[in-house]
Each structure stands twice: as structure tokens, then as C-alpha cells.
Amino acid sequence: MELTRIAEALKAGRVEDVKTYTEMALSVGKEPKEIINSGLMAGMNVVGEKFKNGEMFVPEVLIASKAMNAGMEIIKPLLKEGDVTSKGKAVFATVKGDLHDIGKKLVCMMMESSGYEVVDLGVDASPEKIIEAVKEHDADIVGMSAMLTTTMMAMKNTVEGLKENGLYDDVKVMIGGAPVTDNYAEEIGANYSSDSTEAVELANRLMA
Ligand code: B12
């Protein structure tokens, strides 16, 4: 079972095929993380390139995203490590004005599978909503995702809000997403990671 079949089906937006091939890959013993990286992510990366070059358009990208989510839903339960004690509580959100959630969901999945309790606030989350959730859940980590240069500012506003509410010193701020950089993170007082595996390593380092 070649994982490229998953990538091909995802690019073509064949949701049912993505599900079938993901199940097939698992049944022949492929590792969940390998399926994510060499199947689902590999396909989504090509979609990203084609979207950028004007070879794919929003409706097609949406269907590909649905296919990605469908594959991830199958893999999600397998990433959980059973009864591990919680490494900490993390609140995650895609920031205000931004509806991209595939990458953030992937980071949430990896965090959960490595033992963190994750509260996912979804997309388009205002600084107020994020700050409220940090308070309510007494979070150790807050993770923000932004995929648009225009929505990145919301990360800075949220960090400032955390400071104003006296929460900043008790919570580790992690940020990520395509336009986000290490420099930007440093500038606003957050920590950056470029992918979901690294995100877990970063969280572990911050919590150590
Ligand atoms: C899929 C997609 C969409 C889908 C989103 C579906 C969904 N449910 O998410 C749809 C079609 C809805 C969409 C809409 C739009 N999109 Co769009 N989209 C993409 C695309 C092709 C892929 C994003 C993706 O899912 N990648 C796969 C995931 C796995 O990767 P990832 O998101 O980067 O996440 C990884 C890391 O960044 C990191 N990470 C992510 N979040 C976090 C958080 C933390 C805390 C950490 C530590 C790490 C981390 O870990 C993840 C896993 O490894 C990108 C292209 C690209 N190159 O990114 C454009 C892209 C982001 N979109 C873009 C644009 C312009 C738009 C629209 C404005 C288009 C339009 N004209 O309507 C709208 C905006 C809608 C809105 N208000 O948000 C631009 C943004 C340009 C910019 N610099 O601002 C991009 C870059 C495409 C481009 N090159 O032009 N889009």
C-alpha cells in the first residue's frame, strides 16, 4: 500500500478514497505518523503549492481540506497513548479573522497524543475569548495559529491582553502558521515552532 495513493486522492478531493486508503494503510501496519507525513501532509503540501500558483481555487482547496480532516479523524484515536498522566493543559485557537484550522488541528492532535490535555477553541477566536479560556481552564500553554499576514496581529494583541490580565507569567505562549516566524514570536514575547512534531518538542521544553 503506497502512501502516495492517499496524497493523490487528497489532491483530487476524493474524500471517500482518502478514508479508504487511510484505513487500508493502517490495516497493513503503517504507522499513524507516517500516514500523516507521507500521505495526508504530502498531499496537502502540493495543494498549497497549486493554490499559490493559481492552479487550484478555493472550492477545490476546501474539498481537499475536507479530505485531510477525514483522514485525520481516522488516525486521531490511534495517536492517544491511553492512560498517560497529563503533561499540562493547553488552550489552542486559530486567531480572530482566520478560518484556517488544518495545521492547528494537527498540532492539537500531536499534543494530545503526547499527553497534553487540549482545549480547542476552534477558528476566528478573539483575544478576549482566548484570554477567558486561559483563565477558565487555568492553562499552562496557549497555542495560537494564524495563516494570514493580516491576522497575525491578533497574536500580539492576545499576548498584550494576557499581560494586562496578569496571566502572561503563568502561561507559555506558542504560535505558528505559514506567515509566522521566529523573529515575530520573539518580538511579541511568544515561542515559535514550524510544525506539529516540533510543536510538541517545544511544549515539552517550555514545561520542563
Ligand atoms: C487550505 C487552505 C485554505 C482553506 C482552509 C480550510 C481549513 N479548514 O483550514 C480555505 C479554502 C478555506 C482557505 C481560505 C483562504 N485562504 Co487559504 N490556504 C490554504 C492552504 C492551501 C493550506 C493551509 C494548510 O492547511 N496547510 C496544511 C497544514 C498542515 O499546514 P499549516 O497550516 O502550515 O500548519 C503547520 C504549521 O504551520 C504549524 N502550525 C500551524 N498552526 C500552529 C500553531 C502553533 C501554536 C504551532 C506551534 C504550530 C502551528 O504546524 C502545522 C502542522 O505541521 C494555504 C497555503 C499554504 N502554503 O499554507 C493557503 C493560504 C494560507 N491561504 C491564503 C489565502 C489568501 C486565503 C484566503 C484569503 C483566500 C480568499 N481569497 O478567500 C481565504 C481566507 C479565509 C480566512 N478568513 O481565513 C494565503 C495566505 C497569504 C497570506 N500571506 O496572507 C495562503 C498562504 C495561500 C497563498 N499562498 O496565497 N485557505
Side-chain angles (χ1 to χ4, degrees):
M1 163 76 207
E2 294 297 325
L3 294 177
T4 46
R5 283 176 83 177
I6 298 177
E8 289 300 326
L10 189 145
K11 279 187 280 174
R14 300 197 310 268
V15 181
E16 288 308 314
D17 283 352
V18 169
K19 286 192 204 167
T20 308
Y21 297 151
T22 302
E23 274 159 0
M24 273 168 68
L26 287 169
S27 70
V28 299
K30 297 277 185 202
E31 287 294 322
K33 280 189 185 166
E34 197 190 344
I35 300 175
I36 293 177
N37 290 331
S38 309
L40 299 168
M41 284 276 282
M44 204 62 213
N45 286 341
V46 179
V47 171
E49 276 305 303
K50 291 200 164 179
F51 187 39
K52 190 168 144 189
N53 300 333
E55 293 167 54
M56 270 178 97
F57 302 98
V58 171
E60 297 162 278
V61 177
L62 260 181
I63 299 173
S65 311
K66 269 198 189 130
M68 172 101 188
N69 280 327
M72 273 161 50
E73 282 304 314
I74 295 171
I75 292 176
K76 194 174 171 183
L78 303 166
L79 286 172
K80 299 220 168 156
E81 276 175 4
D83 294 321
V84 282
T85 36
S86 172
K87 284 190 192 169
K89 237 183 199 179
V91 166
F92 272 85
T94 298
V95 298
K96 192 172 167 59
D98 206 313
L99 304 175
H100 296 86
D101 66 353
I102 298 172
K104 184 211 59 191
K105 278 188 182 166
L106 203 53
V107 175
C108 288
M109 251 168 70
M110 295 298 187
M111 290 283 290
E112 271 180 338
S113 73
S114 109
Y116 288 93
E117 279 177 74
V118 174
V119 179
D120 185 350
L121 302 178
V123 296
D124 193 22
S126 65
E128 296 75 21
K129 185 174 176 180
I130 298 172
I131 291 162
E132 203 40 56
V134 167
K135 248 192 246 169
E136 184 191 335
H137 299 284
D138 192 18
D140 304 294
I141 293 174
V142 58
M144 289 181 276
S145 181
M147 293 296 284
L148 302 169
T149 36
T150 48
T151 57
M152 274 167 69
M153 270 302 286
M155 294 173 155
K156 187 170 187 245
N157 297 341
T158 310
V159 172
E160 276 163 11
L162 286 169
K163 287 181 181 164
E164 281 159 20
N165 283 272
L167 297 165
Y168 181 73
D169 291 335
D170 297 324
V171 68
K172 311 288 181 198
V173 184
M174 286 170 47
I175 61 172
V180 181
T181 61
D182 227 345
N183 281 345
Y184 181 68
E186 203 176 317
E187 192 186 309
I188 69 166
N191 303 278
Y192 167 75
S193 148
S194 64
D195 70 44
S196 50
T197 311
E198 239 191 58
V200 174
E201 286 164 15
L202 173 64
N204 291 343
R205 275 203 307 279
L206 294 172
M207 293 297 291

